[in-house]
Amino acid sequence: MIRENDVILAQDQYYSMDCKETLINNNVLVVGTAGCGKTRSIVSPNILQASGSYVISDPKGLLHKKYGRYLTRQGYEVKVVDFIHPETSARYNFFAYIRSTRDIIKVAHMLMTCHNSRGMHGNDPFWEESAEILLSALIAYLWEERPKSEQNLHHVFKLAAACQVTEYNANETTALDRLFEALRGRKPNSFAVSQYDKFRIGAGKTLRSVLISMNSRLGKYDFKEMQQMTKRDEVKLGGIGCRKTAMFVIISDKDRSMDGYANLFFSQAMDELCRVADDKCENGELPVPVRFILDDFATNCVIADFPRMIASIRSRRISTMLMIQTESQLEEYYGKDGRTIIGNSDTYIYMGGNDLETARAVAARCDLPLKKILYMPVGTNWIFRRGQLPVNGKNFDLEAFEQEKSPKTVRKGEERLEKQQEKESAKRNDYLEYLNQNRITA
């Protein structure tokens, strides 16, 4: 019997999410190859439980299409942050969550670094770090000096455009120089001025290279739809822990260009919820528990300082449900701190795969031969919960649960999804026919 506040891990494997009752945290790490059923057996059933608030990474927007109306009927405020179609997205402005110079440094760092590259100039960190300093100066200037209406990404680009450094004459005064000199006169101890001075000491050729480096990294966000999305803030991240909210964050699983901005969103969401719990909530606990359900974690989602955060979010009634394909993915993006993420997930679910190192780790946990794990039947899983013996379970029966929860609403969501897939298939067929008629190779 599934209770209202249970987390669903497999067929007939349902556990309370009351940490005071279970004495373990609610963090769940799900490991399994593509197509093993992570979404169908774990993510979808727990969304249907409608327990607490959710921040959900949603590649291609399929989860929102299927469950958005269902959650609305359950009393949720449903919001969509869409990095594929930003013109239709709820507005998100990172300036709304900057409260200190430390926040500015963190935002600049996340926008300048990208987890799936080795930096803008190979292995030399100088250019990347210098670009971070310049970007932090621009953000700080807007934060310190300009009205709220100008504190957005569009005006960061406008400030950057005012910095036209001449390659062979570093001493030439630019329009941006004059803005910062005026600020220095009003606020000699300005953080923005301090950061700008660090950038401005370079030679002209160096300054131009730094400016080009910054623009090359930020340039992918400089288009009309993105400016519209980031003009102001509507998502109100702190409110997720105060009322039942489902925040679907739509990210492309093919185009990685928006990953940096999406990761900034996830980082600010977790930071803001921790701040609200610490500063505004009795006993440091959010009134409504919040669960981050993050598919393709460590590929689509890389959250700054996450290994540190996951160790401390339980007391604030925040938890995570992370989907990865192999344990090595955590090590690739978080280094040795990847083990911290595994260690602070009191529930670990293995759903199969061909990665030998992950299989060896699971076999050691089960105290079973490696081949028993490598050749485990499709549709089965191993569940490990701290303080309990491992359980060999079967994947959850989603269809029956959907019918039980809300057959009409969920079915309508499926129908909308099927229609969209039919349209995409028709477009693909038309395109292939066009290529064939014109003898073009796809």
Side-chain angles (χ1 to χ4, degrees):
M1 180 68 179
I2 304 175
R3 297 172 297 179
E4 182 179 348
N5 195 39
D6 281 353
V7 59
I8 298 172
L9 304 181
Q11 194 67 32
D12 301 321
Q13 299 298 320
Y14 324 123
Y15 300 89
S16 171
M17 292 189 67
D18 185 346
C19 294
K20 294 177 181 177
E21 175 187 329
T22 63
L23 302 179
I24 64 175
N25 66 46
N26 289 324
N27 298 325
V28 179
L29 179 63
V30 185
V31 185
T33 189
C36 68
K38 295 189 292 290
T39 300
R40 190 168 185 78
S41 183
I42 305 291
V43 174
S44 292
N46 284 286
I47 292 174
L48 285 169
Q49 276 290 78
S51 177
S53 287
Y54 299 102
V55 178
I56 304 166
S57 69
D58 187 6
K60 297 177 289 188
L62 302 183
L63 292 172
H64 171 252
K65 288 184 176 71
K66 189 170 183 180
Y67 300 119
R69 287 190 181 181
Y70 166 79
L71 290 172
T72 299
R73 291 190 178 187
Q74 299 300 312
Y76 277 76
E77 182 176 2
V78 176
K79 298 181 179 180
V80 180
V81 178
D82 192 339
F83 289 100
I84 299 178
H85 304 290
E87 68 276 8
T88 65
S89 172
R91 306 294 186 260
Y92 161 61
N93 182 2
F94 66 77
F95 273 95
Y97 307 101
I98 292 177
R99 291 178 173 80
S100 67
T101 54
R102 169 66 182 163
D103 293 334
I104 294 173
I105 292 171
K106 188 172 183 177
V107 168
H109 175 72
M110 292 204 68
L111 290 176
M112 283 295 99
T113 56
C114 188
H115 64 272
N116 58 3
S117 69
R118 306 195 75 175
M120 292 176 282
H121 292 265
N123 294 318
D124 186 355
F126 171 79
W127 303 102
E128 194 169 276
E129 292 170 357
S130 299
E132 280 183 37
I133 290 173
L134 173 57
L135 179 58
S136 66
L138 302 183
I139 294 172
Y141 179 87
L142 294 171
W143 185 65
E144 292 178 15
E145 279 294 291
R146 305 308 300 164
K148 294 287 186 183
S149 60
E150 294 184 19
Q151 293 179 14
N152 53 51
L153 187 63
H154 174 61
H155 281 83
V156 171
F157 287 121
K158 290 184 71 173
L159 282 182
C163 186
Q164 300 296 328
V165 181
T166 303
E167 184 171 345
Y168 298 105
N169 186 5
N171 295 321
E172 182 180 347
T173 301
T174 68
L176 192 61
D177 291 334
R178 290 190 287 273
L179 286 175
F180 276 91
E181 280 304 311
L183 178 57
R184 188 194 310 276
R186 296 190 299 273
K187 298 178 181 178
N189 297 321
S190 163
F191 173 74
V193 170
S194 173
Q195 292 296 93
Y196 190 70
D197 286 346
K198 294 183 180 73
F199 156 74
R200 204 61 177 85
I201 60 174
K205 190 172 182 179
T206 301
L207 298 182
R208 280 188 62 82
S209 295
V210 171
L211 185 61
I212 291 169
S213 295
M214 186 189 75
N215 286 333
S216 69
R217 186 53 58 92
L218 285 183
K220 57 193 172 186
Y221 309 130
D222 189 13
F223 56 96
K224 183 178 70 174
E225 294 82 2
M226 193 65 180
Q227 291 175 9
Q228 180 181 342
M229 175 182 172
T230 58
K231 186 175 182 179
R232 60 183 184 276
D233 189 78
E234 299 171 344
V235 294
K236 310 296 182 188
L237 294 175
I240 299 172
C242 300
R243 58 186 176 278
K244 291 183 78 172
T245 305
M247 187 81 69
F248 291 90
V249 185
I250 300 176
I251 315 167
S252 174
D253 57 353
K254 303 185 296 294
D255 180 4
R256 318 307 305 187
S257 63
M258 300 299 290
D259 281 4
Y261 217 93
N263 292 335
L264 174 60
F265 173 86
F266 286 120
S267 296
Q268 285 197 319
M270 194 162 283
D271 280 340
E272 182 69 5
L273 287 167
C274 288
R275 187 194 67 81
V276 169
D278 293 343
D279 298 346
K280 297 186 177 181
C281 298
E282 186 177 356
N283 300 322
E285 296 181 349
L286 293 172
V288 178
V290 179
R291 198 172 351 169
F292 284 74
I293 301 179
L294 304 177
D295 201 358
D296 287 334
F297 184 74
T299 52
N300 261 13
C301 312
V302 178
I303 299 176
D305 297 329
F306 185 75
R308 174 185 58 80
M309 287 181 174
I310 195 174
S312 60
I313 57 178
R314 181 195 63 82
S315 63
R316 299 174 172 95
R317 302 184 78 197
I318 303 171
S319 62
T320 62
M321 181 174 278
L322 312 176
M323 265 53 67
I324 60 175
Q325 294 186 13
T326 65
E327 290 188 5
S328 62
Q329 286 181 318
L330 293 178
E331 296 174 13
E332 181 179 354
Y333 294 110
Y334 289 102
K336 293 182 179 179
D337 285 339
R339 307 306 304 177
T340 301
I341 297 173
I342 296 173
N344 281 285
S345 299
D346 280 350
T347 299
Y348 180 112
I349 306 173
Y350 181 67
M351 302 185 72
N354 291 318
D355 182 70
L356 281 173
E357 291 306 313
T358 301
R360 285 193 181 98
V362 174
R365 291 187 183 96
C366 294
D367 194 21
L368 289 174
L370 175 61
K371 65 180 182 180
K372 285 278 190 180
I373 303 303
L374 279 175
Y375 308 142
M376 59 188 281
V378 173
T380 65
N381 54 63
W382 280 96
I383 301 171
F384 305 88
R385 281 172 65 82
R386 186 166 64 84
Q388 301 176 24
L389 291 173
V391 174
N392 188 201
K394 292 183 178 180
N395 288 1
F396 187 73
D397 183 359
L398 178 63
E399 288 84 355
F401 193 55
E402 286 181 338
Q403 289 299 314
E404 175 190 334
K405 282 291 184 179
S406 182
K408 291 183 179 179
T409 305
V410 174
R411 183 57 197 159
K412 284 180 180 178
E414 289 180 339
E415 289 172 354
R416 289 196 303 274
L417 189 55
E418 288 168 1
K419 286 180 181 178
Q420 181 192 2
Q421 291 171 339
E422 287 173 2
K423 288 180 180 178
E424 291 175 353
S425 178
K427 287 180 181 178
R428 172 66 177 169
N429 291 337
D430 289 345
Y431 179 59
L432 291 174
E433 184 178 349
Y434 166 78
L435 295 179
N436 185 52
Q437 289 174 352
N438 291 274
R439 298 182 179 180
I440 302 172
T441 302

